[in-house]
Amino acid sequence: MVPPPSTPSLDSQQIQQFLSSVLSQRGPSSLPYTEDSKWLIRQHLLSLTSRYPSLQPKTATFTHNDGRSVNLLQADGTIPMPYQGVTYNIPIIIWLIESYPRYPPVVYVNPTRDMIIKRPHPHVSPSGLVSIPYLQNWIYPSSNLVDLVINLGSAFSHDPPLYSQRRSNPNPNPPNYGQQQQPPPPRVAAAGYPPSPYGRAQPSQTEDAAEVYKRNAVNKLVEMVHGDIIKMRKEREAEMEGLFSAQGVLRKREEEVNKGLKEMQDEKEALEQQLQVVLMSTDVLAGWVRENEGKIKNLGKNNDSVDVDEVFHCADVLSKQMLGCTAADLAIEDVVYSLDKALQEGAVPFDQYLRNVRLLSREQFFHKATAAKVRAAQMQAQVASMAARAPHSHYAP
């Protein structure tokens, strides 16, 4: 293995003191990890630095995709990558995000000034973000940083993610830290990559870092504003749908109320008409009572000399005819009843009974038909009389 460039490193005791100090801090300057996970974070970093001394734990500011900045732990340094019988050192940064170790860390390839990220690469995005199956299948609490670095070296050994900027050959070569042998690795097609918190693309060496950060911040702000606008539009559309539904319900209720009001008005008019008929009938009956009060008094005084046929006097020809037809109908009904009794007692022969009933039934039918015609004529006359008296009635509105 080729040693990495000489950088000041901490020994095991200093690393333990550093981790104990930063993980035990309280207040605004404390790291955003849960208390129950800090011990496991410390153990993971100690195991990592013990196995790979080139990776040193540090604290630095990490910027999320939504623009939030937070102080986090990181492991910064190089990891060994065997390639075609030679071991190279790949510079990386392992960020322990707030949800670590329940969720995987964020790993970036950290090329030096004379190195460029291979484009395309199956595991490294243009911004340097690393995505390998071990990170995608992270399982808490069995997954750890040591196994992560082993899987990173294995994945990079099949397709190195960096090559020297001094070479114009687009085929990437592994970075050289003191090695003369740099065989070109094979090219591999790339898939899509997740977004980077440092921007969508790795800035070129000639771009100013402040300008790149400003451009990325503006792009992120535009995306946030666009997302807020879409969210507000969806909320307003849902609100408008609710208002349209309420409007439809109110219109339906309005139709029902108008229909009920119309029915009540029609019923009121019908009741007023019935009231007029009742008032006119009451007026007619009151006039008849006044006309016949004297007759009732005379019947009370001369009770012994009252002729039954003279008690009721027909007012007109139709009433007299109606009275005669009704009396004949009832009389025939009584005769038929008497014949039934006589037949049951054997006083009348059966053939004579049938002959008499046939004759009486024919006569009764004619009387009933005549009574029906008279009743219809009386109703027409009564209606004509009420219509003629209505304008002169004091009950009319």
Side-chain angles (χ1 to χ4, degrees):
M1 174 178 177
V2 179
S6 59
T7 55
S9 60
L10 302 176
D11 56 22
S12 176
Q13 185 176 1
Q14 290 176 331
I15 292 175
Q16 292 182 13
Q17 292 177 355
F18 168 75
L19 292 176
S20 299
S21 175
V22 296
L23 291 173
S24 62
Q25 291 180 358
R26 298 293 184 271
S29 61
S30 63
L31 297 177
Y33 303 108
T34 59
E35 293 297 328
D36 59 345
S37 64
K38 288 184 178 179
W39 181 86
L40 188 57
I41 292 174
R42 182 176 181 275
Q43 293 302 115
H44 282 190
L45 287 173
L46 289 176
S47 300
L48 178 66
T49 55
S50 176
R51 177 75 176 271
Y52 300 97
S54 59
L55 292 171
Q56 297 294 319
K58 300 177 183 179
T59 57
T61 301
F62 181 83
T63 304
H64 287 277
N65 288 342
D66 57 3
R68 293 183 298 107
S69 298
V70 60
N71 196 30
L72 299 176
L73 278 169
Q74 64 171 217
D76 187 7
T78 61
I79 62 171
M81 181 199 71
Y83 183 74
Q84 295 185 354
V86 182
T87 301
Y88 299 90
N89 296 291
I90 303 297
I92 66 168
I93 299 178
I94 302 176
W95 290 93
L96 306 186
I97 58 176
E98 299 94 324
S99 56
Y100 184 86
R102 289 179 172 79
Y103 292 90
V106 176
V107 182
Y108 281 93
V109 172
N110 187 28
T112 59
R113 186 176 298 273
D114 60 344
M115 299 163 61
I116 294 178
I117 298 176
K118 176 186 175 182
R119 299 185 185 182
H121 193 276
H123 301 303
V124 181
S125 71
S127 63
L129 180 65
V130 178
S131 175
I132 62 174
Y134 188 83
L135 289 171
Q136 298 170 359
N137 301 320
W138 183 273
I139 301 175
Y140 170 82
S142 60
S143 299
N144 57 78
L145 299 178
V146 175
D147 293 340
L148 171 61
V149 172
I150 295 174
N151 281 269
L152 286 172
S154 176
F156 292 163
S157 66
H158 292 86
D159 191 358
L162 302 175
Y163 68 92
S164 175
Q165 190 178 12
R166 293 190 300 270
R167 299 175 64 89
S168 58
N169 186 5
N171 293 326
N173 293 328
N176 184 7
Y177 291 99
Q179 289 294 323
Q180 299 299 325
Q181 185 178 3
Q182 296 181 352
R187 298 178 62 86
V188 179
Y193 301 102
S196 167
Y198 296 106
R200 294 186 177 273
Q202 183 75 12
S204 65
Q205 302 296 330
T206 59
E207 290 181 318
D208 184 34
E211 290 297 328
V212 173
Y213 182 80
K214 180 179 179 181
R215 182 172 66 252
N216 293 337
V218 171
N219 292 337
K220 190 61 183 179
L221 182 60
V222 171
E223 292 179 0
M224 293 174 62
V225 172
H226 182 66
D228 292 341
I229 291 175
I230 293 177
K231 182 180 179 181
M232 291 177 61
R233 185 185 66 182
K234 291 181 178 179
E235 292 176 352
R236 295 299 175 269
E237 288 178 353
E239 185 178 354
M240 290 298 296
E241 289 294 333
L243 292 176
F244 284 138
S245 300
Q247 185 181 24
V249 172
L250 291 176
R251 286 180 176 175
K252 184 176 180 181
R253 291 182 179 178
E254 180 184 9
E255 293 176 357
E256 293 177 353
V257 170
N258 291 335
K259 181 179 179 181
L261 181 61
K262 186 177 182 303
E263 291 177 354
M264 294 177 64
Q265 290 177 347
D266 294 341
E267 185 178 1
K268 179 183 176 182
E269 293 177 358
L271 291 174
E272 289 178 350
Q273 293 177 359
Q274 293 180 4
L275 178 61
Q276 294 297 325
V277 173
V278 171
L279 292 177
M280 287 188 293
S281 299
T282 303
D283 190 16
V284 172
L285 292 174
W288 184 86
V289 170
R290 287 194 299 269
E291 292 176 0
N292 294 277
E293 275 184 335
K295 297 179 181 179
I296 295 174
K297 293 179 180 179
N298 293 331
L299 288 175
K301 294 179 180 178
N302 304 320
N303 192 25
D304 297 336
S305 60
V306 174
D307 186 2
V308 176
D309 295 331
E310 299 295 331
V311 172
F312 293 97
H313 295 276
C314 297
D316 50 26
V317 176
L318 291 175
S319 298
K320 185 176 181 180
Q321 189 176 3
M322 185 66 181
L323 181 61
C325 291
T326 304
D329 180 23
L330 295 176
I332 293 173
E333 191 73 27
D334 292 339
V335 173
V336 173
Y337 177 77
S338 299
L339 287 174
D340 290 338
K341 287 292 186 179
L343 179 64
Q344 293 176 2
E345 295 175 357
V348 177
F350 184 71
D351 55 347
Q352 185 178 358
Y353 166 79
L354 290 178
R355 186 170 52 257
N356 291 331
V357 168
R358 187 182 299 112
L359 295 174
L360 292 172
S361 298
R362 185 182 294 109
E363 184 179 357
Q364 185 181 26
F365 171 78
F366 287 118
H367 286 304
K368 287 185 176 182
T370 304
K373 293 182 180 180
V374 171
R375 187 179 297 106
Q378 285 180 331
M379 290 295 295
Q380 293 179 358
Q382 185 178 4
V383 171
S385 174
M386 289 180 180
R389 298 177 57 184
H392 305 287
S393 178
H394 63 278
Y395 293 104

